[in-house]
Amino acid sequence: MEPAVLGGKLASSLIAPLVKRLFVADGPGAGLVDKPVRLKDLVSWGEKRTLTEKDVHKLAGQLVARAVDSPGEAPFPPDEQTAVADALARRLLTLGDLDMDDVQAVRLGRRGLARQLEHGAPTPPGLSTDSRYFLGNATEWACLQILEFFTRRSTFVARTLVEQTRTQAELISRVDELIARTPRPDARDTAFERRYLAYLAERHNHITIYGIDLRDSPDRWPLEVAYLSLEATATEEHPLPEGHPGARYDLQLPAEEALVSHDRVLLRGDAGSGKTTLVQWLAVTAAADGDRIPYVLPLRTLIRTGQLPSPAHFLTAVGCPHTPPEGWAERVLTTGRALILVDGLDEIPSADRHRTRDWLLSLIGAFPGNRWLLTSRPTAVRPDWLASEGFRELTLAPMRRPEVKTFVERWHTAAEAPEYEAPLLDSLHTKRDLARLATNPLMCGLICALHRERRGYLPTGRKELYDAALTMLLARRDRERGMGALEGAELGEEAQLEILQRLAYALVLSGRTEMDLETAEGIVERCLPTVAGKGDARTVLQDLLLRSGLLRQPADGVVDFVHRTFQDYLGARYAVEEGHLDVLTSHADDTQWEDVIRMAVAHARPRERVVLLRQLLAREEPRLTLLALACLEHATALDPGVRAEVESRSAALIPPRTTADAHTLADAGPLVLELLPGPEGLTAEEARCVTETASILGGQEPTGALAVLRRFRDHPSFDVRRQLAGTWDRFDTTEYAVEVLDHLLRDGLFLRCASPGQLAALRLMRPWQRLTVNGSPDLSDVAAAVRDPDALDLLSLEHHTRASTLAELAAFRNLRALWLQDCFGVRDLTRLSELPLTELAFNQISSPAGLSALHGLTRLSLDQTFQDGHLSDQLPLDAPLEYLFLGQETLAATGLRGLESWPTLTELSLARPPTTLSATDWGQMARLPVLRNLVLNASLNHYALEFMPELPSVETLRMPSQRKADKYVRILASRLPGLRTVTLKTSGRRGVPLDTYAEFFPTAEVTDDRL
């Protein structure tokens, strides 16, 4: 019988009268009592007894009998009538056991109430399907009439209002408590922030595109038009657990996303690479969003006053005209709402960097929770300068061909010169020297401007380019705009150059990039007698600030060059003219002088170049030898013997033998590509370092870099092949896939696809057995892109936001391993049971439903939140697990409880436990008879080792190195008497005291992970 028919027959004629009898009659009043009246006080067999349980059974029997006697087909077999009536009666009697009131019952709804009754009185075994069906519908319709009865009681409306009032009072109380903990900002703060953010957005929403500010063109352009998203790179540890190959990888992300996943970033970039423009972009974006309060703090400005400012003086130090309410800055920083953008670490003297670091660390320690971005040239501070404070280091990558093309297109659109765009792009593709210069926004802008100004003619070489740029900027006269000289100042191009280079040299000598206006006027005044011009020093300096395009006044009373590159170029020019070659080489140890020395070699005469280069070589320091090598690019005329000596001395540095050597070589520029050897005669590590050097230079000289990398495509070393596979993003996708990737030996090697173009290129290559897909393409598209789905052995999905049931992975019929990193949308693993999986790794998916059905797993890595319980409640009990990684989230939920269920475990890896592991937790490990390898991924003091039992079967231990071998190491050594190997994870740190550790582990070989 259909439910509707049943309801129509029973609801009014049977159930309604029955329900009325089940409850006691209303009493007077509204029922406004301190405590709600529970259902057990309302039923008629409770305290106010009007029915007995026998009566309820009788009423239920009558209801069932009437249903059976109704016309039509019987709802269930007649011989089950008594059992059905008895079950219905027991469900109705369960009302007296429910710990709720009528208002709560109505809120629950008829189906929810029916489930409560069914839970209290389950369906008896042995009933037929029809009987169970009738019983369920009868229960639900009874609940519907019960709720209808409740809503008609005289006390219900009043009780509902009381319940609402109580709920609202509780909510108000909680809100008041929250407000008490988080004081409401003063209205003055809100009003000020509105003004400040508007000012900040307006101040930084324009940039100068060099060369566009010619006649008939504006000198500033909106940031959103001129901004070009560049790439930031870093080499980081892969976040997947221990034991997986490919643990290190090259991270690449848009530079403006540097602070998305890390609150503290040190961003390195060469001169003109776009660091300051990125700072402006982040400030304007934050001001528009309003979520954070940005501070733009140019260090060259802050350091000028001597004392670095406190937060209360941030705005005053950078010349902001708005005055905040008292204590506003500290309130912003205390609540973690600030975005502090500290620009130009390289633009202050090296002697000031230590106190600048102390200043930064004191602010970070006093105001945690804020976001910090520091910018610097690559060599201004040592690697990991702030790593101990949690700063992630990124480097702005050189512009690649697509980015150069985008920049050129935008430049010509902004300059309204479309007729020059295509010819310039052709020149950039065909002229190697020119393409090598177009690696950052500054140089691209100059090239575009010169190309337009000279109507298609372009100089070759860096010096010639700067010479041409200076001529363009300095020869631009106000008369071209119909204006005469200002206040009688009249200077020719050479006279301007003479003054500018003296100003530049003074800044170079002082190690600064800014000088006081008064100091600048003094230099100009001393220079005026030697140049042909009119006007006093103040007038001449003001004229240069307004007309040269090279000087600017960033704040009141301060002068600097529009870019450090011009300062270095002009300072070098003056040093050579004055014969200060010894001064140049005496500062060769200072990284701020590197470009000055390189430009000095370009300006010098052949004999002077010999002196400079020989003095660099005489120091017998590797960096200065490479600096001499870099200078050869600018030495068009040079004694052949000196050139040969430089190249010979450089041979001791080539091939590179470490990653640091590779980066040092790359700093010398694309000339290194011509000196890098092929794989013949190199060790595996030397071969890897050569490919790393070429990879770094791929953005500057892709053709030459590709030619080097092509030589290594058949190399058998895994590290060499991994380097080649990891640098795909720096080259043309299709060209690199065909020329390099398709030739690589696949054994143990991953290929990482992070774009639709890279996925499409998969079909151009032989099948890959191991594939990483970054991003969120449709999994069906991934399956379609794989040339031979049956060949795929391991698939890693990273940051895939659209994956859910993973049903599409059924196409990979031989998939043995699956890694899910930050695939938070996955809600069901059931379909994975169709695959021959033996390895699975995942973190924080939506739901791990189906995990217990993966019976073939031998390796499992988890960082997943489970309901409190045991591992045996969550993991496949009959899986022959040999390796298990437990992340922090898993340890928080289950600890090690239930670990003994997998006696096949030979390796166990533990993250840092959020709470102390108990003796019970550790006791689980003692029940693993074949456990051989133990990995601890956090400091030993986090594991409560005093509860750890003796584990004689463990032979291999990996653990982080401690600051000193202390009592925790002693405890660990006593608990692991069978150790044969101890590996210390150093995180790249040097100087770990291996001998000290060896004393604690006398029977084991102690090594570190750098070997």
Side-chain angles (χ1 to χ4, degrees), residues 348-360 382 385:
I348 60 175
S350 56
D352 291 326
R353 290 174 193 157
H354 182 72
R355 68 184 181 98
T356 300
R357 186 177 187 273
D358 292 340
W359 171 72
L360 288 168
R382 69 178 187 276
W385 192 62

Side-chain angles (χ1 to χ4, degrees), residues 646-721:
V646 171
E647 293 176 349
S648 173
R649 294 278 292 277
S650 300
L653 305 173
I654 298 174
R657 293 163 181 83
T658 65
T659 293
D661 291 344
H663 283 265
T664 302
L665 272 182
D667 288 341
L671 179 65
V672 171
L673 293 171
E674 301 175 10
L675 305 175
L676 291 175
E680 297 79 12
L682 299 181
T683 66
E685 180 62 11
E686 288 172 342
R688 185 196 67 79
C689 292
V690 168
T691 58
E692 184 172 6
T693 304
S695 297
I696 297 170
L697 292 169
Q700 300 179 49
E701 183 54 64
T703 302
L706 184 60
V708 173
L709 297 177
R710 191 184 293 114
R711 301 179 212 152
F712 291 83
R713 64 190 186 185
D714 297 320
H715 203 285
S717 167
F718 174 77
D719 288 336
V720 172
R721 292 181 287 120

Side-chain angles (χ1 to χ4, degrees), residues 802-824:
R802 299 165 63 183
S804 57
T805 64
L806 306 176
E808 298 87 348
L809 300 188
F812 305 119
R813 293 177 295 183
N814 294 323
L815 193 66
R816 179 192 58 82
L818 177 65
W819 300 350
L820 305 173
Q821 178 193 337
D822 297 339
C823 300
F824 306 122

Side-chain angles (χ1 to χ4, degrees), residues 17-155:
L18 172 63
V19 166
K20 187 174 181 181
R21 295 184 60 189
L22 291 177
F23 295 93
V24 297
D26 280 354
L32 305 181
V33 293
D34 292 339
K35 295 182 179 179
V37 178
R38 318 308 288 178
L39 293 187
K40 60 186 178 182
D41 299 323
L42 296 177
V43 295
S44 56
W45 56 88
E47 294 182 0
K48 301 178 181 180
R49 185 180 299 274
T50 60
L51 286 179
T52 65
E53 293 186 15
K54 184 177 180 181
D55 294 330
V56 176
H57 277 276
K58 183 178 180 181
L59 287 173
Q62 292 174 356
L63 186 149
V64 173
R66 289 284 300 274
V68 171
D69 293 340
S70 299
E73 181 184 356
F76 53 83
D79 59 346
E80 296 184 0
Q81 180 173 336
T82 302
V84 171
D86 184 63
L88 179 59
R90 284 189 286 105
R91 286 191 178 179
L92 295 175
L93 288 170
T94 302
L95 284 168
D97 298 325
L98 295 182
D99 189 21
M100 65 176 66
D101 57 30
D102 53 353
V103 175
Q104 293 170 333
V106 171
R107 188 183 302 147
L108 197 60
R110 78 174 190 273
R111 291 189 175 90
L113 183 58
R115 285 193 294 270
Q116 293 285 337
L117 298 183
E118 292 169 9
H119 179 75
T123 302
L127 286 182
S128 65
T129 301
D130 289 342
S131 294
R132 292 197 301 270
Y133 185 64
F134 173 86
L135 181 59
N137 281 293
T139 303
E140 187 172 320
W141 278 96
C143 290
L144 179 64
Q145 294 298 322
I146 289 170
L147 299 184
E148 173 68 15
F149 171 77
F150 284 161
T151 60
R152 295 187 180 187
R153 296 179 70 239
S154 61
T155 62

